[in-house]
Amino acid sequence: MENNANLIKIRGLHFSRGERKIFDGVNMDIPRGKVTAIMGPSGTGKTTLLKLIGAQLQPDQGSLVVDGQDVHRIPKKSLYQLRQKMGMLFQSGALLTDLNVYENVAFPLREHTQLPESLIRPLVLTRLHSVGLRGARDLMTSALSGGMARRVALARALIMDPMMIMYDEPFTGQDPISMGVLVELIRTVNDALNLTSIIVSHDVPETLSIADYAYVISNGKVVAHGSPQQLWQSESEWVKQFLDGRADGPVPFHYPAADYQQDLLATAKV
Amino acid sequence: MAKRNVEIMVGLFVALALAALFMLAMKVSNLSGLQGVQGYHLTANFDNIGGLKVRAPVTASGVLVGRVSAIRYDTQQFQAEVTLLIEPQYAQFPEDSSASIFTAGLLGEQYIGLEPGAEEVVLREGDELQVTQSAMVLEELIGKFLFDKASGE
Amino acid sequence: MSTYLQNLGHSVLDFFERLGRGHLFLWQLLLGLPLLLRRFSLVIQQLHSVGVLTLLITLVAGLFVGMVLGLQGYNTLVDFGAEESLGVMVALTLVRELGPVVAGLLFAGRAGSALTAEIGLMKATEQLSGLEMMAVDPFKRILAPRFLAGFIALPLLALMFSAIGVMGGYLVGVQLLGIDEGAFWSQMHAKVDFVEDVLNGVIKSVVFGLVITWIALFEGYDAMPTSEGVSRATTRTVVHASLAILGLDFVLTALMFGS
């Protein structure tokens, strides 16, 4: 608790999957009350990072402190108490398919509290209202579009009054309208409820438009961090390529291969 | 509402299963027949019990009165000692009753038939049936028949 | 040669790894059971999906199996003039063997595959991860109720299978082929023992229920979280559960009726 400005502190995080190193000494601070973006190319383990923060995965090395507690070294009971204060929005929404919208949002309350229905109902309806889906409460989850499912999941994540919400690729595969709705929601919810938000994404313009601070990771390391303005003005060729989405640059267009001409000639000989 | 329906269906399901168990217990198997270990025990020694098994029926005049509860080999008398469990309502067998091993049909199971005697005194728990008739063993019968035939000529 | 040995070594290690994971999984399932005493409604819900929904197929199959036993048994027994033992034969075959085994196979095919697919899809759509992040233990909330329900449902289904099978045998033997009704029931009644035959059959089906549900849940939980992975896991459930039933049936029969 010595530094209250940062909700999450990650120090020297190493994680590998089989032979492949996903994180190779990552240091990161997530400030309280702000929207922090974590960006990077596909396959750099952005989702893995969220799972490490939620302690669903164990790191090989390093520490990960959330709200003063090292999530990988506390007992399961404390971890479960901590998780009640962490909301997480999965890419697919992860709504329970055998329940309708209302029951999905009410689910954490029913699991963790003994509240009577007369109290659950207003809580659920206010959360659904805040994501604009109060009218959809009786729909089954299969009838929801991807964007709606994410909004329901957001309502569900908010119902336990969490201190933070993690968004896993919230903008992927959304039409421009749903995208706009989600961008707007993430920012307003964060400010209205005084949350800490972490957005993992590779949709650069949308993410940077609402982020207060951003980290860019690649090859298991943080390659750049700063406010969105600082990143846009970055001198690094790599960051420029990533932010502008250029096809060629420090990340080559071609997958490593033998010399083109020789390769073609070799094929001809066979 | 849907939840109520689910509960009703599960209730019906369990009730149906209990009905099946009841039918298997009462109609198909003999749970109602020999109630537990009630009754009294009699023993009988046989030279040869053939294929008699534990739980084989014990009958008197063809009526089921009990079952064979144990079979062991008596090493003093070199005979098979069969313990019969007779149901309590048939407690009136005279002391000189006899036990025989019969076969139901030509290839059927073997069972014990009790033939009541004429004495006043009745058999009690643990008593022994003195008069016994062993099982007929097919090979012995054939052997005897051949022997008689050969010696008769 | 050396690659062959390497592959062999890998598959042996994989086998033991899965075996170990499977047993740890069972242990976690068992740890989840006590919670269900307070929330039995979760189990009721699952009894509906694994039990009630398997009922119809079980009853229809039971009726036909009983009828076939009646027909075949009659043809064999009539040669020995022992057709009145038909009831005994049908009842013993059903309560000792076919009830638990065939009901178990049907259960593996109908309920087991559905369980695997359901859990596999919950994994693929991140529902299980989502529960963990909501501080809800999926073992307690999702898996344990299904486990208990499977374990309760199969013995009940097997009992119903046997009962309706006996009725099928009765229909064919007495109503169709004209065996004496009194002899049919009384011989059955005299020769079938409740503890020895009926209860042993129930014990068998309890064991089968446990093994099938365990395999089905584990395959779902262990499936690759893709549509291909889930479909392969579903196939594996049916194959492994069926083999497990038949193998265990031999072992249990040897233990129960061997001596």
Side-chain angles (χ1 to χ4, degrees), chain B residues 1-81:
Chain B
M1 210 52 223
K3 195 171 174 185
R4 202 175 131 74
N5 281 340
V6 164
E7 282 166 2
I8 290 172
M9 292 303 283
V10 171
L12 274 175
F13 173 72
V14 174
L16 211 58
L18 289 181
L21 179 66
F22 184 77
M23 177 195 158
L24 291 177
M26 292 305 166
K27 200 147 172 94
V28 175
S29 77
N30 50 16
L31 183 69
S32 54
L34 200 66
Q35 274 130 11
V37 284
Q38 280 176 29
Y40 63 101
H41 294 89
L42 299 177
T43 59
N45 282 10
F46 294 94
D47 290 329
N48 191 337
I49 59 166
L52 190 74
K53 300 258 164 53
V54 173
R55 286 193 15 79
V58 176
T59 63
S61 307
V63 178
L64 184 77
V65 296
R67 287 190 184 275
V68 171
S69 67
I71 297 172
R72 63 180 205 92
Y73 187 63
D74 184 340
T75 48
Q76 314 280 248
Q77 300 182 42
F78 302 107
Q79 278 184 320
E81 186 190 283

Side-chain angles (χ1 to χ4, degrees), chain A residues 46-93:
Chain A
K46 303 187 294 294
T47 305
T48 310
L49 185 65
L50 293 187
K51 289 197 166 174
L52 282 164
I53 294 174
Q56 289 192 304
L57 296 172
Q58 289 288 326
D60 301 334
Q61 227 181 305
S63 73
L64 208 158
V65 177
V66 178
D67 199 25
Q69 301 190 71
D70 187 333
V71 290
H72 299 106
R73 294 191 178 82
I74 54 175
K76 195 174 177 187
K77 203 162 176 186
S78 322
L79 174 63
Y80 268 52
Q81 275 166 0
L82 188 63
R83 277 184 186 166
Q84 289 188 27
K85 294 191 280 174
M86 297 176 164
M88 174 139 171
L89 220 75
F90 287 88
Q91 210 168 354
S92 58

